Amino acid sequence: MHADGATCLTTRCFCELVRPEGIAQPANAWSSLAFVVAGVAALVLLRPATRPERVLMPLLAVALAAVGVGSFAFHATLTLWGQFVDVLPMYAVGCVLLAGALVRLGRVTPRRAAVGGVALLVALAVLLWVWPESRRVLFAAVLLPGIVLELVRAGRAGRGRGAGGGARWLHVGLGLLVTAYLLWVLDQAGLWCDPGSPLQGHAAWHVLGALAGWCLARHWSGRRLVP
């Protein structure tokens, strides 16, 4: 990794105008803090019962808050180090989701899921450091399996209960995430783009993504992790 600007500076760092002084992209930077709010809100969902989720949910909360701090740093500076601290917490959210889904399915023990999740995050961090251009592909590669497995787990639980209503927060979160991604694409492609406006598609991606993270925590808070 080279000590210079973010890789997007060679192409396009989203729609928002890059300010030469102060915070480079104010709307994108301040909207990132929605993830911090989502992380704090996730902790509120913890219950006094001794469930495995009382370990998993704080990890999700910390990862969400770290996404907010890292994203703020990236959009405030548009540097390569900012890019690193922006993307790595996103990988952490994917690792927590994947580990949680595997535990919920009964495929691995919580201890093995934790060890595997940390090992995967370290490997992703190394790849991000030496090959920063791979960040988006790797994020999708770590996030999608966890989503699919959690949907499988929710489907099985719904059939066992005779209804799928217990997964409504998971479905709401997935809908928010898909909507957020569409806005990200529109912003990145310049199809929704007013560089000087405080209303940015990428900022909307931050807010909706944070809400999706909270919905995952809400989904976990109402169900046991281990079948």
Side-chain angles (χ1 to χ4, degrees):
M1 179 175 286
H2 304 288
D4 51 15
T7 55
C8 64
L9 289 174
T10 61
T11 54
R12 186 168 181 273
C13 289
F14 307 104
C15 169
E16 187 175 10
L17 179 68
V18 177
R19 276 68 170 178
E21 297 180 355
I23 296 178
Q25 293 182 318
N28 289 343
W30 290 113
S31 62
S32 301
L33 299 183
F35 284 99
V36 177
V37 176
V40 174
L43 291 177
V44 176
L45 295 173
L46 283 174
R47 298 178 178 181
T50 56
R51 293 181 175 182
E53 68 189 20
R54 288 185 59 80
V55 174
L56 191 60
M57 286 179 60
L59 293 178
L60 176 62
V62 171
L64 288 172
V67 168
V69 174
S71 181
F72 184 93
F74 170 63
H75 290 289
T77 64
L78 292 182
T79 57
L80 207 52
W81 71 263
Q83 180 176 294
F84 183 83
V85 298
D86 172 36
V87 178
L88 187 60
M90 295 167 60
Y91 290 167
V93 170
C95 289
V96 172
L97 174 59
L98 178 59
L102 289 172
V103 172
R104 290 167 68 83
L105 282 167
R107 301 293 185 181
V108 296
T109 65
R111 182 183 296 274
R112 289 184 177 180
V115 173
V118 170
L120 177 59
L121 183 60
V122 170
L124 290 169
V126 172
L127 284 173
L128 177 62
W129 184 266
V130 301
W131 188 21
E133 294 81 3
S134 67
R135 63 195 184 282
R136 292 169 183 167
V137 173
L138 291 177
F139 177 56
V142 71
L143 186 66
L144 290 177
I147 292 175
V148 171
L149 290 174
E150 188 60 44
L151 286 171
V152 170
R153 172 65 178 84
R156 291 182 181 179
R159 288 195 299 271
R161 295 183 178 189
R168 64 183 179 277
W169 285 109
L170 178 63
H171 296 151
V172 170
L174 185 58
L176 288 170
L177 187 62
V178 171
T179 303
Y181 178 69
L182 291 176
L183 294 175
W184 184 94
V185 170
L186 291 173
D187 181 280
Q188 178 68 9
L191 299 176
W192 175 16
C193 184
D194 181 357
S197 172
L199 300 177
Q200 296 291 325
H202 194 73
W205 149 266
H206 289 156
V207 175
L208 294 180
L211 286 172
W214 181 86
C215 286
L216 174 61
R218 180 64 181 82
H219 173 67
W220 278 348
S221 71
R223 306 168 73 102
R224 289 186 178 275
L225 294 177
V226 180

